[in-house]
Amino acid sequence: MKYFAILLLLTVSGLTQAQTTRKTENIFIITLDGFRWQELFSGADSALIQNKTYTHDSLEMRSLFWMDSPEERRKKLMPFFWKTLASEGQLYGNRNFNNNVNCSNTMWFSYPGYSEILCGFADDERISSNNKIDNPNITVLEFLNKNQRYKGKVAAFASWDVIPYVVNEKRSGVFVNGGYELATGKNLSEREIFLNELQPKIPGHWGSVRQDAFTHYYALEYLKKHQPKVMYISYGETDDFAHDGRYDQYLKSAYRTDQFIQELWQWAQSQPAYKNKTTFLITTDHGRGTVPIETWKNHGDEVPGADQIWFAVIGPDTPPLGEQKVAGQLYQNQVAKTAAAFLGVEYTNETKVGEAIGTASRVKLPVVK
Ligand SMILES: [Zn+2]
């Protein structure tokens, strides 16, 4: 049946010669918790970087991240985004051009945001807290893990210890390492053994969120060993430093995460299993406030603007359109279907999911069920 379908597809594509073939075989979904579009598109905020309460050493922060123009500032803060992603990929959500990306859930905090990203729809009835409750909804990770092509090839690494519940690790069978979990399994690499020694000995900043460097390097080791085709990496520090009122640390964390994503990208481009066949989709679970000034620390439905997010994509099927400067509206619920579509899979769920972002791919996505 499958072969017949492929034959048919080949015949059809043979007839329509101009059709481009899809190159993506692997998908990485990457999130930075509560990282604002304001910093992504304009870099460090002049009011916050000079505020002694939020920025302990303004001189240091200015030397690291300040430039007069927003275009230069954002390059200092997120060099990989603004050198590589902006020239080879696409960035959505700069509201200065009325290019909007929003949550469709009305909660504007983490669990509802991650659930919307991964499931493709908001569920305000059932997903209304950050409690450790197994997600009653199926995520695109679970959906793909049921597909023979991807079974056992789906993994998630997260700094926040609630992500295993969002993914519903138990039911989904997706491999998840979240919070302060160590690397487990046979044949641990030397690096995993060292990370396992180090993680419990580093003073944890927060009870439920580990430092992103651990999440990142555990994920990288897993990639090397298991070569998953669908990888979700959830960085968490940006949100926690913001809640702590540490704008300086929030910026430094954003910079480090940019470097982590660059490392993942460069690593992928050095591996035969991933090179020129891997697409990265990068986004955030929610925004934060701007006015009055102290609302930058927070989010939730009482903070105006906390539903404003952004979305970025890079990969072999993505036209290099860079920063989107035309008016438009995307929603968080479109990420899941877009991710699956890059793999040629039509993602559906019991609830209607957001449409795939058509401009993200140059391929008229041939859907293989
Ligand atoms: Zn938060």
Side-chain angles (χ1 to χ4, degrees):
M1 190 60 191
K2 207 172 158 192
Y3 294 113
F4 175 71
I6 291 167
L7 267 180
L8 191 69
L9 199 71
L10 287 174
T11 315
V12 173
S13 59
L15 294 173
T16 52
Q17 231 179 0
Q19 189 170 2
T20 326
T21 37
R22 187 174 48 80
K23 296 196 178 84
T24 300
E25 293 175 17
N26 314 286
I27 277 284
F28 284 41
I29 300 173
I30 298 168
T31 54
L32 286 73
D33 199 305
F35 183 60
R36 299 194 301 183
W37 68 269
Q38 286 89 346
E39 275 82 17
L40 175 59
F41 290 100
S42 300
D45 181 301
S46 64
L48 290 170
I49 208 171
Q50 293 178 63
N51 182 306
K52 288 275 173 270
T53 308
Y54 303 134
T55 300
H56 291 187
D57 186 344
S58 290
L59 270 182
E60 184 204 11
M61 283 298 114
R62 283 182 68 88
S63 75
L64 286 174
F65 300 124
W66 191 256
M67 296 294 274
D68 287 332
S69 80
E71 291 76 18
E72 291 300 314
R73 276 207 300 283
R74 67 192 189 185
K75 250 186 227 168
K76 283 210 134 189
L77 186 64
M78 312 281 280
F80 175 69
F81 270 73
W82 291 106
K83 283 172 192 156
T84 307
L85 261 166
S87 62
E88 297 171 30
Q90 301 178 358
L91 292 130
Y92 297 84
N94 190 346
R95 299 179 102 86
N96 298 318
F97 298 105
N98 288 320
N99 193 268
N100 300 345
V101 188
N102 287 73
C103 299
S104 76
N105 73 74
T106 61
M107 306 288 152
W108 312 353
F109 57 84
S110 288
Y111 195 137
Y114 291 121
S115 187
E116 182 172 341
I117 291 166
L118 296 173
C119 295
F121 56 89
D123 182 355
D124 291 349
E125 290 289 310
R126 296 191 291 183
I127 310 294
S128 56
S129 80
N130 277 341
N131 295 341
K132 289 179 175 169
I133 295 168
D134 275 324
N135 200 336
N137 301 310
I138 289 174
T139 67
V140 69
L141 304 178
E142 182 170 354
F143 178 87
L144 289 168
N145 199 46
K146 281 188 194 147
N147 180 316
Q148 269 322 107
R149 261 199 297 169
Y150 303 102
K151 195 162 186 54
K153 293 276 174 191
V154 184
F157 283 74
S159 297
W160 190 33
D161 66 3
V162 179
I163 294 292
Y165 297 86
V166 178
V167 174
N168 199 332
E169 184 176 12
K170 276 184 273 172
R171 185 192 63 212
S172 67
V174 171
F175 179 89
V176 188
N177 177 303
Y180 286 93
E181 269 185 75
L182 302 177
T184 52
K186 285 179 245 159
N187 306 321
L188 292 183
S189 70
E190 249 181 71
R191 281 184 149 212
E192 283 174 319
I193 292 166
F194 185 54
L195 288 168
N196 281 354
E197 275 178 30
L198 205 56
Q199 185 171 263
K201 291 175 186 158
I202 298 271
H205 238 84
W206 310 284
S208 62
V209 179
R210 69 176 161 202
Q211 281 95 335
D212 286 331
F214 287 101
T215 301
H216 176 74
Y217 288 106
Y218 276 131
L220 196 53
E221 289 304 290
Y222 186 90
L223 281 164
K224 290 176 193 167
K225 244 201 281 191
H226 300 282
Q227 307 207 316
K229 291 191 161 295
V230 180
M231 185 71 166
Y232 173 44
I233 304 180
S234 179
Y235 297 104
E237 284 175 9
T238 39
D239 185 66
D240 290 273
F241 281 126
H243 285 301
D244 291 349
R246 291 297 302 268
Y247 193 67
D248 41 7
Q249 295 295 342
Y250 168 83
L251 292 182
K252 283 182 171 179
S253 178
Y255 174 81
R256 285 194 298 269
T257 310
D258 174 88
Q259 299 294 287
F260 289 151
I261 299 170
Q262 171 170 267
E263 189 177 11
L264 288 172
W265 182 251
Q266 289 177 346
W267 178 82
Q269 295 311 313
S270 74
Q271 302 296 310
Y274 294 100
K275 186 182 161 98
N276 295 332
K277 41 188 169 185
T278 302
T279 293
F280 281 20
L281 295 101
I282 314 167
T283 187
T284 187
D285 53 335
H286 55 73
R288 335 190 64 81
T290 46
V291 183
I293 190 170
E294 66 271 13
T295 63
W296 81 274
K297 294 196 289 180
N298 296 316
H299 53 90
D301 62 357
E302 287 174 358
V303 178
D307 61 328
Q308 300 176 354
I309 58 168
W310 51 269
F311 170 78
V313 55
I314 184 169
D317 299 316
T318 296
L321 303 175
E323 181 182 18
Q324 302 294 292
K325 297 181 178 176
V326 289
Q329 178 70 59
L330 295 177
Y331 289 98
Q332 191 166 46
N333 63 22
Q334 296 183 261
V335 176
K337 190 155 182 151
T338 306
F342 272 111
L343 297 172
V345 177
E346 184 179 18
Y347 174 58
T348 55
N349 208 307
E350 282 176 10
T351 304
K352 189 177 164 14
V353 300
E355 289 304 319
I357 301 163
T359 45
S361 173
R362 67 165 67 82
V363 185
K364 282 276 165 263
L365 303 156
V367 169
V368 186
K369 287 204 180 175

